[in-house]
Amino acid sequence: MTVPKHGKKYDNAFKLLEDDRLYPVPEAVDLLKRMKFTNFDETIELHFRLGIDPRQADQTVRSTVTLPAGTGKEVRVLVFAVGDAARQAQDAGADYVGSDDLVKRINEGWLEFDATIAMADQMGKVGGLGRILGRRGLMPNPRSGTVVRTPEDLPNVISELKGGRVEFRNDRSGLVHVAVGKLSFSEDRILQNVYATIDAINRNKPQGAKGIYLRTITLTSTMTPGIPLDISSATAAAAQAGA
């Protein structure tokens, strides 16, 4: 198998990393900014390797985190609702509101939205979209707070999604990947989002997980090398920031 080669700019960024060093979060954020070599606003990501067995139902890691500094992008919210709930969703700023009409459009291939909410009474219709929305992380789910029972709850959920609430879930390898903002953010804004995400992952340790839970945490952006974080100092700082 041919291993793809990186360009000179990537190699120069990689040289900034110290061998076998685990970085405190503030140093890692500063280094990430110094590594940038592209002319577009890269997305910053955290990658977690967790000590879980993804095959076991009681070791699933799935929840949400509200990023204090936002995601850095406009979030288009779609709401499955009718009647008073639909009116409340529209008033709260939802981009698309409907029921059968939206189900039909999605089945025909339309996916011009970033997050979905469904009133509980609409899940019978929305359930059939699982094969389309599920693999894209767009399926409404009670565990992520995107299945709503009363119209009065809609404005808060819509506001959170537009303001920076993101969902995370482990994959089949026990990894969790979370986008935590843009490289153009100030270091303070990046730190806020990084700490909130680390704290959320740490707090969602499954009861069935044994041994070391957080195995590795890596900070990176769209085009830069990954920076390994010092887990002990990162979790302590994250807990303090969230206190």
Side-chain angles (χ1 to χ4, degrees):
M1 182 178 69
T2 302
V3 178
K5 294 183 178 180
H6 295 291
K8 288 184 178 180
K9 292 182 179 179
Y10 180 96
D11 290 339
N12 289 334
F14 187 82
K15 290 176 182 178
L16 296 175
L17 283 170
E18 298 179 29
D19 290 342
D20 301 322
R21 186 182 176 197
L22 301 176
Y23 288 81
V25 175
E27 286 189 46
V29 171
D30 174 70
L31 178 59
L32 191 69
K33 281 186 164 288
R34 288 192 285 120
M35 284 180 168
K36 177 177 170 61
F37 59 85
T38 65
N39 58 5
F40 66 92
D41 194 7
E42 300 176 41
T43 297
I44 299 174
E45 301 169 350
L46 280 172
H47 302 279
F48 299 81
R49 184 167 66 87
L50 304 180
I52 60 173
D53 183 350
R55 298 169 297 179
Q56 304 301 319
D58 65 347
Q59 295 191 42
T60 297
V61 176
R62 181 175 186 177
S63 188
T64 62
V65 58
T66 298
L67 302 177
T71 62
K73 70 173 186 177
E74 180 182 357
V75 178
R76 299 163 297 178
V77 176
L78 179 150
V79 180
F80 294 99
V82 295
D84 182 53
R87 288 189 290 274
Q88 294 226 27
Q90 290 170 341
D91 291 343
D95 298 276
Y96 307 102
V97 182
S99 181
D100 293 329
D101 55 329
L102 293 180
V103 171
K104 182 175 183 294
R105 290 182 69 186
I106 292 168
N107 273 319
E108 291 173 348
W110 177 75
L111 290 167
E112 300 300 319
F113 49 91
D114 307 297
T116 61
I117 303 169
M119 293 300 299
D121 63 3
Q122 293 294 302
M123 285 305 292
K125 300 175 181 179
V126 178
L129 298 173
R131 61 184 176 80
I132 300 172
L133 300 182
R135 57 179 175 234
R136 293 172 173 82
L138 293 171
M139 189 68 183
N141 187 288
R143 292 180 62 180
S144 63
T146 49
V147 175
V148 178
R149 295 197 173 277
T150 64
E152 292 73 24
D153 292 331
L154 278 171
N156 184 55
V157 178
I158 293 169
S159 176
E160 286 188 353
L161 287 173
K162 282 185 165 290
R165 193 176 89 173
V166 296
E167 183 177 356
F168 57 82
R169 183 178 186 177
N170 65 271
D171 63 17
R172 294 179 181 178
S173 302
L175 303 176
V176 175
H177 314 282
V178 189
V180 295
K182 294 292 186 177
L183 204 49
S184 61
F185 282 12
S186 68
E187 292 190 13
D188 182 62
R189 291 179 70 193
I190 296 171
L191 287 173
Q192 289 181 48
N193 285 354
V194 168
Y195 285 143
T197 304
I198 291 174
D199 192 49
I201 296 287
N202 205 24
R203 289 177 182 271
N204 278 276
K205 178 181 179 180
Q207 291 186 349
K210 306 298 182 184
I212 299 173
Y213 173 54
L214 295 175
R215 299 291 179 87
T216 64
I217 307 176
T218 303
L219 179 71
T220 187
S221 64
T222 307
M223 299 297 291
T224 62
I227 304 171
L229 301 184
D230 178 79
I231 293 175
S232 178
S233 64
T235 53
Q240 184 176 9

